[in-house]
Amino acid sequence: MRFGEEDFYVDPVSLERLTLSVDECTGDQVVCGELRSPSGYRFAIRRGVPDLVYPFELPPVDRQALQQYEERADAYDRYLPLTFSTYGEDEQAVRTAMVDKLALRPDSRVLETGAGTGRDSVIIAGRLGTAGRLYIQDLSPSFLARNIDRLRDIPARVEPALANGYYLPFADNSFDACFHFGGINAFGDIQRAFSEMARVTKPGGKVVVGDESMPPWLRETEFGRILMNSNPEFRYPLPLDKLPVAARKTRLEWIIGGVFYVIDFVVGEGEPPADFDFPIPGVRGGTHRTRYYGQLEGVTPEAKRLAQEARARTGKSMHQWLDEAVRAAARRDLESPE
C-alpha cells in the first residue's frame, strides 16, 4: 500500500476516515502496519496489502466460498480456459468486450471487486495511463497474490486490498467505473454488493457485473440439464431483482455459450426522474400523482352512477368533477356550525 492511500480508503463499517500506523515501510510503500477508524476498528496491513475485510467473522456462505477459493487457487488459472473452449469462445475477446462496456479513459479511477487472479485486471489496467488507478480487491489472499504478480509490470498504478465485495472500504462517488466478473452468485448479500458498487461509483459512471446463470429458456433442455448437473453454479438465478434503484440504462447480455450473464448500467442518483404532475387528457383526467395519492374510500354503485352522469353533463374529467365536489362538500361541513 502506498503512503497516501489511507486518505482514500475508509472504514468499511462506518465509512469513517482511517489513520495509518506504520511498522515497516520501503520507499513510498507501507509494508506492515495498521489502519484505524475513530470507531475503534483496526485493519492490518501485511506484506503491503491492507486487510479491510468486514464482517470480521464472515457469514457461513462467505466462509465456505473463501475456503473453496483458497483450495483451488493453484488450479484456477490452469483450468479456467476450459470454460471458454467448451463453447468455442476466445477468452481474450470475451474479456475485452466486457471491459469495453466500462468506457474507460486513460485517467479513469476503476474498482474491480472479486478481482481473482487478474485475468480481467490486466485488460483493465492496460486501458489506463500513468494518471489512471486500478483498485483490485478480493476476499481470497491466494487469488489476490496471483493478481498482484500478474500486474507487477503494468505501468498504471494498481492498489490491491483484501475486502468483502458487499462492504466496500471507499467513500461515496470514489470511482469512475466498477467491474466484477465471476463469484458474485456466491456472495452472502448480492443485493448489498450491487448497492455498494453503485454507491462508490460516481453518477454517470458505469458498473459491469457478470457470472454464471443458465437462462430460463434453456433450463429444461438437454444442454441445460447436462451443464447444471456438471456445475451446480449454473443453477443460480439471474439477479435482476438485486439491482440498485440508481441503475440507469440497464442492459443484459448472455455470453460464453449463452450461460453467463453480463449486466451493465449507468449509475444515477436516487429514483429515476419523472413528471407525475402533468394533466392526463381523457375522461378519467387527473395526474399520475393524484391517481396514486388522491384515492378515497369506495362509494355505492348508485353514487358512482350519479357521479358519472353528472361528470358527463358538465363535460369535465372525473378527476376535475370529483375534486370540485369533494372540496365543496368539505367546505360546507367545515364551515357549518356543529
Side-chain angles (χ1 to χ4, degrees), residues 3 7 37 47 70 73 85-86 118 130 134 166 174-175 180 187 202 208 215 226 238 246 252 278 295 299 312:
F3 281 101
D7 295 327
S37 74
R47 294 183 293 278
E70 291 295 283
S85 61
T86 298
T130 55
L134 171 60
Y166 57 92
S174 293
F175 295 95
H180 180 108
F187 276 25
K202 298 173 184 177
V208 176
I226 287 174
L238 183 67
L252 168 64
F278 67 89
Q295 299 182 47
V299 297

Side-chain angles (χ1 to χ4, degrees), residues 54 58-66 68-69 112-116 137-140 163-168 178-197 209-211 233 236 239 242 261:
Y54 182 85
L58 291 172
V61 64
D62 293 320
R63 287 204 306 272
Q64 181 180 357
L66 175 58
Q68 291 176 346
Y69 295 149
E112 183 184 5
T113 68
Q137 303 199 325
D138 204 279
L139 196 62
S140 164
N164 185 337
Y166 57 92
Y167 278 96
L168 296 179
C178 183
F179 184 88
H180 180 108
F181 185 70
I184 197 169
N185 287 335
F187 276 25
D189 193 335
I190 298 174
Q191 185 165 0
R192 182 180 172 91
F194 274 111
S195 178
E196 282 286 90
M197 283 185 256
V209 180
D211 209 346
E233 292 183 4
Y236 282 110
K242 311 298 185 187
Y261 64 84

Side-chain angles (χ1 to χ4, degrees), residues 16-262:
E16 297 169 319
R17 292 188 65 177
L18 298 167
T19 300
L20 174 64
S21 175
V22 179
D23 295 328
E24 180 185 349
C25 66
T26 301
D28 66 345
Q29 296 285 336
V30 179
V31 177
C32 183
E34 188 177 66
L35 294 167
R36 302 173 185 170
S37 74
S39 295
Y41 294 109
R42 297 185 173 190
F43 304 93
I45 303 169
R46 303 183 185 91
R47 294 183 293 278
V49 177
D51 183 348
L52 292 155
V53 173
Y54 182 85
F56 301 114
E57 180 66 29
L58 291 172
V61 64
D62 293 320
R63 287 204 306 272
Q64 181 180 357
L66 175 58
Q67 181 179 352
Q68 291 176 346
Y69 295 149
E70 291 295 283
E71 289 174 352
R72 69 182 185 179
D74 289 335
Y76 182 81
D77 267 346
R78 191 183 320 142
Y79 296 118
L80 187 60
L82 290 175
T83 299
F84 296 85
S85 61
T86 298
Y87 310 102
E89 301 273 10
D90 182 302
E91 179 181 355
Q92 189 71 10
V94 170
R95 294 187 184 277
T96 296
M98 286 193 292
V99 173
D100 286 344
K101 295 177 184 292
L102 294 172
L104 299 178
R105 304 182 310 273
D107 62 347
S108 290
R109 182 174 284 179
V110 189
L111 171 65
E112 183 184 5
T113 68
T117 60
R119 300 177 84 93
D120 295 309
S121 310
V122 71
I123 300 174
I124 296 172
R127 303 289 177 89
L128 304 177
T130 55
R133 290 194 195 181
L134 171 60
Y135 288 75
I136 55 172
Q137 303 199 325
D138 204 279
L139 196 62
S140 164
S142 297
F143 272 39
L144 190 64
R146 285 165 173 76
N147 195 323
I148 293 170
D149 285 339
R150 181 170 257 137
L151 297 179
R152 197 168 298 281
D153 296 325
I154 292 291
R157 179 165 169 172
V158 178
E159 293 292 340
L162 292 167
N164 185 337
Y166 57 92
Y167 278 96
L168 296 179
F170 302 103
D172 296 359
N173 307 329
S174 293
F175 295 95
D176 299 300
C178 183
F179 184 88
H180 180 108
F181 185 70
I184 197 169
N185 287 335
F187 276 25
D189 193 335
I190 298 174
Q191 185 165 0
R192 182 180 172 91
F194 274 111
S195 178
E196 282 286 90
M197 283 185 256
R199 179 184 67 79
V200 302
T201 303
K202 298 173 184 177
K206 291 292 295 291
V207 173
V208 176
V209 180
D211 209 346
E212 298 108 327
S213 180
M214 185 64 61
W217 60 88
L218 292 178
R219 291 189 172 235
E220 297 306 319
T221 65
E222 181 185 41
F223 172 91
R225 290 195 297 269
I226 287 174
L227 287 174
M228 289 188 291
N229 177 71
S230 181
N231 182 1
E233 292 183 4
F234 283 122
R235 299 181 183 275
Y236 282 110
L238 183 67
L240 288 177
D241 60 329
K242 311 298 185 187
L243 295 184
V245 169
R248 305 281 193 275
K249 300 180 180 179
T250 304
R251 298 183 297 184
L252 168 64
E253 182 181 2
W254 297 92
I255 64 171
I256 315 176
V259 293
F260 284 72
Y261 64 84
V262 176

